Amino acid sequence: MQPLKLDLMSREAFADLGLHERNDYLQKLAAEFSEKTGRPVIALGQDALARLRRFYLRRSFADLERGKVDFKISDPELAAALRSLGETIKDSERQTDVVGVLKSELPGPILRKAPTDDQQLSLFVPVIYDAPLKDDVNLMDIAPFTMSKNRRNTALRYELNDSIVTVDGSAEHGIATVFDYDIFLHMVTYLAEEARRYHIDASKGLRPDLPAQVYRPKASHILKFCRRGSGGLQYKSLEAALDRLSGTRLKVANLRGGKRREVVNVPLIDKYRVVSATSNGHVDDIEIYIPSWVYESVVREKGKPQILTLNPDYFLISQGLGRMVYRLARRAAGRTQARYSIAEVHKRSGSPQAVPQFAQILRKLVAHSKLFPLPDYDLDLIEGKNGELLWMRYRGEGAKLAAGKAPLPLLG
């Protein structure tokens, strides 16, 4: 992707402008930036304008500036060349500075653009599901992954009302990320579709074979399902994601009733192997072994499996926190609404940040969601008895009817 370029005036020309002229120019620059990045045009605040003015007027290479260079360097041609070099370097830096401030001050899209060859509505892509760990501990209550793409080796620990969940990764690869988890969703979706067909055939009096506990997707199918592009980097990242998934384990201590009844330790995926690769070394065919806990909960579960449908646009949410909040809303609010304290959201996110820093990022996500909503849910921060609450409201079909019949739970 080409870096964003703005049509910036020179520092000297900007310095010659009056204060109001500078602000007018910066507002036009913000409008240009918004147009090029798909943002709505919003006026910059006074703080943002002050920062942008400082970036424009900041002196670079002080010893190369006019009046100082001439004093130190006797050769006028050399002094002029050095001044020109300094201004060229500063122009490049100023481009980065201005773009950085505009990105910080103006709300950005929560969803990334779908790939150009995206065919999410085709029959190729099945319905998306998420799966529970067991009947009483659901993966959507917590983040069974890191929200950042940065490597994390320290374990995640979630202390819930009736259980303690620990998520640990391998020493070599670390814990799976929220984006690696897309492959897990693909695995569960495949299995849910196979189980659906199995039960249909069984209800007709046929004797179908149970779905296989190994599935063999093509890398291109996973990328299509996850609504990612088909570039070489995407293929290369799949094997690293599979390494992290196969090394990530969930340990659940069930504490219901005040006594430890059960402890289970399970992987996100049992193991995998690359069946074939393309001529340039990219992963092509993959073989993934479905863990028994996933298989039994989806295929052999008596009655309806405890799985929830996700909006296909979930895969377009670009931030890990946005994905975590969507999953939390899908689990807690469903087709109604729910509230969580910021401290509870922080606890369930596994974020390594302190609560105040996490709260700032969450507030920014909520603010941006006003212009760029999350799939299915509206977000607000409201005052509660003990501080701010994250209020999640379903806005899809049947939302008003459901909200009218259901209480508004306070969680955490």
Side-chain angles (χ1 to χ4, degrees):
M1 181 182 295
Q2 293 295 325
L4 177 65
K5 292 291 185 181
L6 299 174
D7 185 15
L8 302 181
M9 68 169 56
S10 68
R11 186 170 62 84
E12 288 81 357
F14 186 78
D16 290 338
L17 299 177
L19 177 62
H20 294 299
E21 291 175 316
R22 292 175 186 173
N23 287 345
D24 288 343
Y25 168 73
L26 294 175
Q27 294 289 6
K28 292 178 182 177
L29 198 62
E32 178 191 351
F33 172 82
S34 297
E35 182 179 353
K36 289 184 176 181
T37 58
R39 292 169 165 84
V41 177
I42 298 176
L44 289 168
Q46 291 302 313
D47 288 343
L49 289 170
R51 277 191 288 273
L52 282 167
R53 290 197 302 269
R54 286 199 298 272
F55 283 134
Y56 250 101
L57 297 175
R58 181 191 298 166
R59 289 183 175 271
S60 172
F61 288 13
D63 59 332
L64 302 181
E65 295 295 337
R66 188 181 302 276
K68 296 183 178 180
V69 172
D70 292 341
F71 176 77
K72 293 181 179 180
I73 302 176
S74 57
D75 187 337
E77 292 185 2
L78 176 59
L82 289 174
R83 282 197 302 272
S84 177
L85 173 62
E87 289 302 324
T88 299
I89 293 174
K90 177 44 60 180
D91 283 343
S92 175
E93 293 176 356
R94 187 163 55 247
Q95 181 82 222
T96 302
D97 286 343
V98 171
V99 170
V101 172
L102 290 172
K103 284 183 178 179
S104 174
E105 297 297 332
L106 298 175
I110 289 177
L111 304 185
R112 62 176 172 80
K113 290 184 178 180
T116 54
D117 59 347
D118 185 59
Q119 297 177 0
Q120 187 65 28
L121 298 181
S122 72
L123 295 178
F124 168 78
V125 181
V127 180
I128 304 168
Y129 293 93
D130 204 344
L133 179 59
K134 282 208 170 187
D135 293 343
D136 55 344
V137 180
N138 192 293
L139 291 187
M140 296 180 78
D141 284 333
I142 59 165
F145 40 65
T146 66
M147 293 191 298
S148 171
K149 291 182 179 180
N150 296 328
R151 176 168 172 164
R152 175 164 178 163
N153 286 92
T154 55
L156 299 166
R157 180 181 171 87
Y158 302 100
E159 296 186 7
L160 307 179
N161 292 334
D162 57 0
S163 62
I164 297 175
V165 182
T166 305
V167 184
D168 207 352
S170 68
E172 183 178 0
H173 303 292
I175 298 175
T177 73
V178 63
F179 305 101
D180 300 336
Y181 191 74
D182 292 354
I183 300 175
F184 179 88
L185 292 177
H186 185 269
M187 177 183 73
V188 174
T189 300
Y190 159 82
L191 186 60
E193 178 63 16
E194 291 295 301
R196 185 186 69 83
R197 294 176 180 175
Y198 166 80
H199 290 302
I200 289 176
D201 289 344
S203 68
K204 295 178 180 178
L206 304 175
R207 293 186 177 181
D209 292 331
L210 283 169
Q213 202 166 336
V214 178
Y215 85 118
R216 299 174 176 84
K218 283 189 170 292
S220 59
H221 290 177
I222 293 178
L223 294 176
K224 178 70 70 173
F225 175 86
C226 299
R227 305 186 74 178
R228 301 183 188 179
S230 55
L233 184 61
Q234 298 287 359
Y235 283 91
K236 289 182 179 179
S237 67
L238 279 180
E239 189 167 348
L242 289 165
D243 284 334
R244 289 186 290 269
L245 285 168
S246 62
T248 299
R249 299 189 67 87
L250 310 176
K251 182 179 180 180
V252 181
N254 190 327
L255 304 176
R256 182 170 295 175
K259 296 181 180 180
R260 180 166 296 177
R261 292 171 44 196
E262 181 185 40
V263 175
V264 295
N265 191 315
V266 295
L268 282 179
I269 64 174
D270 258 349
K271 60 181 178 179
Y272 81 93
R273 70 187 184 98
V274 176
V275 179
S276 66
T278 61
S279 57
N280 57 8
H282 295 167
V283 172
D284 188 11
D285 291 291
I286 305 166
E287 190 171 83
I288 298 178
Y289 292 74
I290 303 172
S292 295
W293 68 269
V294 175
Y295 186 86
E296 291 171 2
S297 65
V298 175
V299 176
R300 294 177 176 169
E301 183 73 30
K302 293 182 179 179
K304 187 177 180 181
Q306 298 296 307
I307 51 181
L308 292 174
T309 303
L310 303 182
N311 190 307
D313 285 345
Y314 165 84
F315 288 121
L316 300 181
I317 301 174
S318 58
Q319 295 182 348
L321 180 59
R323 290 186 171 206
M324 179 266 166
V325 168
Y326 173 84
R327 296 175 73 251
L328 200 61
R330 181 67 186 90
R331 167 67 171 162
R335 293 184 178 275
T336 58
Q337 48 191 312
R339 297 176 295 183
Y340 276 90
S341 67
I342 289 182
E344 186 69 16
V345 177
H346 175 262
K347 182 176 79 171
R348 292 171 182 264
S349 73
S351 172
Q353 295 173 312
V355 174
Q357 287 71 37
F358 177 84
Q360 286 185 338
I361 299 174
L362 182 61
R363 291 188 191 104
K364 189 172 183 179
L365 172 69
V366 172
H368 287 196
S369 73
K370 302 300 181 184
L371 294 171
F372 304 98
L374 280 178
D376 301 329
Y377 296 94
D378 291 325
L379 305 179
D380 275 299
L381 287 171
I382 59 175
E383 285 299 322
K385 292 182 179 179
N386 298 312
E388 285 182 301
L389 303 173
L390 176 62
W391 186 17
M392 303 168 286
R393 305 185 308 284
Y394 181 70
R395 65 169 180 274
E397 184 178 354
K400 292 182 179 179
L401 178 63
K405 292 184 177 180
L408 179 61
L410 173 60
L411 306 167

